Amino acid sequence: MSMQESSGVALWRQVADGIERGIADGRFAAGEKLPGEMEIAETYRVNRHTVRRALAALAERGLVRAERGSGTYVEAQRLAYPLRSRTRFSEIVGAGGHEPRGQLIDAGSDVANREIARELGLKIGAPLIRIEAVRLADRTPICVSTTWLSAERFPDAGSVFADVRSMTKLLGHYGVKDYHRASTRITAAIVDATDAARLDLPLGRPVLVVDATDVDMLDRPLVTKRSRFAAERVEFLVENG
Amino acid sequence: MSMQESSGVALWRQVADGIERGIADGRFAAGEKLPGEMEIAETYRVNRHTVRRALAALAERGLVRAERGSGTYVEAQRLAYPLRSRTRFSEIVGAGGHEPRGQLIDAGSDVANREIARELGLKIGAPLIRIEAVRLADRTPICVSTTWLSAERFPDAGSVFADVRSMTKLLGHYGVKDYHRASTRITAAIVDATDAARLDLPLGRPVLVVDATDVDMLDRPLVTKRSRFAAERVEFLVENG
DNA sequence: TCAAGTTGTCTATTATCATAGACAACTTGA
DNA sequence: TCAAGTTGTCTATGATAATAGACAACTTGA
């Protein structure tokens, strides 16, 4: 087997481009298993190691994910999630051509620790409503978030959210016409067992942890929340300037 | 200097693509001299040998031509010359966005040899008019052609051609409203000294030699000719089907 | 539990890519 | 005629690409 041609484009790159084209035009659907490395090698008439080089390049860009002993799978394209002052999950997901969904997992009461008290401008130990929700794009879970609101300012918030299933609508129910993001902090962690189940994510996968506080137009804090995004399904875009 | 990046596209190919883009968008005009190999190497931060590899690839495709001791020049794009039943130099050149020109070099009398006699349906030794002409696109000589016509059928053709400078118009002058190509034979040769001067072509360059006979609508032979095209300035397109 | 099939990793070999330096052959303009 | 600048050719070296084979580690389904 000689195969030279010398086009100036490495063989592995040609294979990678071919597979990427297949993903782009839907020949390989998101989540689907690619043909085995051996099979790909045969269709491109190339050594298996060359295929591995191609797959490694695609994996580095997050387009595919190899699972030892099982196969190589097409990663769902990451949802572009711009972080702006005006951040609405439903608008962002809708703008990406997906249907935004929200689902209440749990709601209950809590008391403010030092951090939450500072964010919401309350005293430590102040009564809170805690809402656990999962947000989806179409049928794919994107993030789970724990939201805290002042129980005095928003009485019965839990049952209201269960009804409207949208934070924007919940706040509107209490007379808040508009709000915006005051602060956003991003870190990353390994998903814990309960979030893994809620996100339908295997254990050991990374999540993006976002702590954010929303305020009304007079900069009075409304809600603070901690969201855990499945890192492999979302991509934050930070506006420059 | 390490320079890796490992994009899967060879460095020489990146350089070649860059130069080709420069030619395509007119940054390097046809006939113009490219920067020296050393200068190109510096602008791309690459070894001179890598530049040579890139230029070799472009030269193989006919986009540039290197002249030892002088420089590397952008080759004029080859004129696309479709070979159809209806073949008119002026129409082909005009369709390519160039201005067709014809120039009489010489006209005289001749007698038919066996081959010409067969093509024109005359007897060997029959009197002929011989017209030598050069055809240009804009100011670039494309081909020189020697055309033979029956002296009995087209008396005084030489002086008529000198006036109208177009074979189509010459035939129209004798009442021929339309004509088409009956046969076309193509070979190649090295340019001879007189043609080289007429085509403004260095000695040793290849020419495409085309023997063709045109007939009227009743398939009666009108003219037969031998044209020599500067191979580097033209590209014949054969209609398939 | 087991066999078949998958990805992961190792060693090894050959060809190409890219760099580097030196010098020859040639053109151009002073 | 000569010097400067150009392309052409040679040798050499290290890095990368592509091949080949073998086996380990793991998943899946029977």
Side-chain angles (χ1 to χ4, degrees):
Chain A
M1 199 46 69
S2 58
M3 188 86 177
Q4 43 194 51
E5 193 172 344
S6 187
S7 66
V9 179
L11 266 181
W12 66 262
R13 175 67 186 269
Q14 297 181 40
V15 174
D17 288 346
I19 296 172
E20 186 176 354
R21 217 174 311 121
I23 294 173
D25 65 21
R27 224 160 54 241
F28 302 125
E32 194 177 313
K33 185 166 142 181
L34 289 180
E37 293 172 351
M38 269 306 196
E39 192 177 336
I40 297 176
E42 280 163 17
T43 65
Y44 285 94
R45 310 201 177 199
V46 117
N47 192 276
R48 179 181 158 232
H49 294 285
T50 306
V51 173
R52 287 182 58 72
R53 181 87 161 80
L55 291 174
L58 294 175
E60 196 174 14
R61 292 176 43 205
L63 274 82
V64 302
R65 166 180 38 89
E67 289 189 1
R68 176 182 223 169
S70 172
T72 303
Y73 299 83
V74 177
E75 279 283 37
Q77 184 158 358
R78 292 183 176 183
L79 181 70
Y81 202 96
L83 297 176
R84 284 189 281 252
S85 169
R86 179 178 174 82
T87 295
R88 304 282 188 278
F89 181 83
S90 56
E91 292 177 8
I92 290 169
V93 171
H98 302 278
E99 190 191 340
R101 294 164 182 267
Q103 191 178 327
L104 179 66
I105 298 171
D106 187 26
S109 52
D110 209 341
V111 292
N113 61 17
R114 184 208 301 265
E115 197 173 350
I116 293 175
R118 176 163 47 79
E119 289 293 331
L120 289 182
L122 303 173
K123 289 177 181 165
I124 295 178
L128 299 172
I129 304 286
R130 196 193 76 250
I131 297 172
E132 304 268 348
V134 57
R135 298 165 187 279
L136 307 88
D138 300 326
R139 283 183 185 78
T140 305
I142 299 299
C143 71
V144 292
S145 55
T146 307
T147 306
W148 289 275
L149 309 85
S150 164
E152 297 178 350
R153 173 85 171 82
F154 303 98
D156 232 9
S159 57
V160 174
F161 184 83
D163 189 29
V164 300
R165 291 214 301 260
S166 156
M167 193 55 62
T168 303
K169 288 177 181 167
L170 181 147
L171 293 173
H173 181 268
Y174 290 95
V176 178
K177 291 177 182 164
D178 203 4
Y179 64 93
H180 63 91
R181 184 62 49 93
S183 66
T184 304
R185 291 201 321 273
I186 305 173
T187 63
I190 300 299
V191 69
D192 66 31
T194 58
D195 281 351
R198 292 165 175 171
L199 290 171
D200 191 19
L201 204 60
L203 286 174
R205 291 290 164 76
V207 289
L208 286 158
V209 181
V210 177
D211 289 320
T213 298
D214 288 333
V215 299
D216 66 12
M217 302 323 281
L218 297 174
D219 284 339
R220 289 177 300 202
L222 297 169
V223 304
T224 188
K225 56 190 161 190
R226 166 164 291 188
S227 305
R228 287 83 73 197
F229 288 77
E232 61 201 47
R233 296 177 195 155
V234 73
E235 188 171 55
F236 290 149
L237 305 178
V238 178
E239 316 278 286
N240 300 319
Chain B
M1 201 41 74
S2 59
M3 189 82 177
Q4 44 193 50
E5 193 172 347
S6 187
S7 67
V9 179
L11 265 182
W12 65 262
R13 175 65 186 269
Q14 298 180 40
V15 174
D17 288 346
I19 296 172
E20 186 176 353
R21 216 174 312 121
I23 293 173
D25 65 22
R27 224 162 50 244
F28 301 125
E32 194 178 313
K33 184 167 145 182
L34 289 179
E37 293 172 352
M38 269 306 197
E39 191 177 337
I40 297 176
E42 279 163 17
T43 64
Y44 284 93
R45 310 199 177 200
V46 116
N47 192 277
R48 178 180 159 234
H49 292 286
T50 305
V51 173
R52 288 183 57 72
R53 181 88 161 82
L55 291 175
L58 294 174
E60 195 173 16
R61 292 176 44 206
L63 275 82
V64 303
R65 166 181 38 88
E67 289 189 2
R68 179 183 218 163
S70 173
T72 303
Y73 298 84
V74 178
E75 279 282 37
Q77 186 160 357
R78 291 183 176 183
L79 181 70
Y81 202 97
L83 297 176
R84 285 189 282 253
S85 169
R86 179 178 173 80
T87 296
R88 304 280 187 280
F89 182 85
S90 56
E91 292 178 8
I92 290 170
V93 171
H98 302 277
E99 189 190 341
R101 296 165 181 267
Q103 192 178 326
L104 179 67
I105 298 171
D106 188 26
S109 52
D110 209 341
V111 292
N113 61 17
R114 185 208 301 265
E115 198 173 348
I116 294 175
R118 176 164 48 78
E119 289 293 330
L120 289 181
L122 302 174
K123 290 177 180 165
I124 295 178
L128 299 171
I129 304 285
R130 197 194 74 251
I131 298 173
E132 303 268 349
V134 57
R135 297 165 187 279
L136 308 87
D138 301 325
R139 283 183 186 76
T140 305
I142 300 298
C143 72
V144 292
S145 54
T146 307
T147 306
W148 289 275
L149 309 86
S150 164
E152 296 179 350
R153 171 87 171 79
F154 304 99
D156 232 8
S159 58
V160 173
F161 184 84
D163 188 29
V164 299
R165 290 213 303 260
S166 156
M167 194 54 64
T168 304
K169 287 177 182 167
L170 181 148
L171 293 174
H173 181 268
Y174 290 95
V176 178
K177 291 176 179 164
D178 203 3
Y179 64 96
H180 64 91
R181 184 63 48 95
S183 66
T184 304
R185 291 201 321 273
I186 305 173
T187 62
I190 300 299
V191 69
D192 66 30
T194 57
D195 281 350
R198 291 165 175 172
L199 289 172
D200 191 18
L201 203 61
L203 286 175
R205 292 290 164 77
V207 289
L208 286 157
V209 181
V210 178
D211 289 318
T213 298
D214 290 331
V215 299
D216 66 13
M217 303 322 281
L218 296 175
D219 285 339
R220 290 177 298 201
L222 297 169
V223 303
T224 188
K225 56 188 160 191
R226 165 164 291 189
S227 305
R228 286 83 73 196
F229 289 77
E232 61 200 48
R233 294 175 195 158
V234 73
E235 189 171 53
F236 290 149
L237 306 178
V238 178
E239 316 278 286
N240 299 319

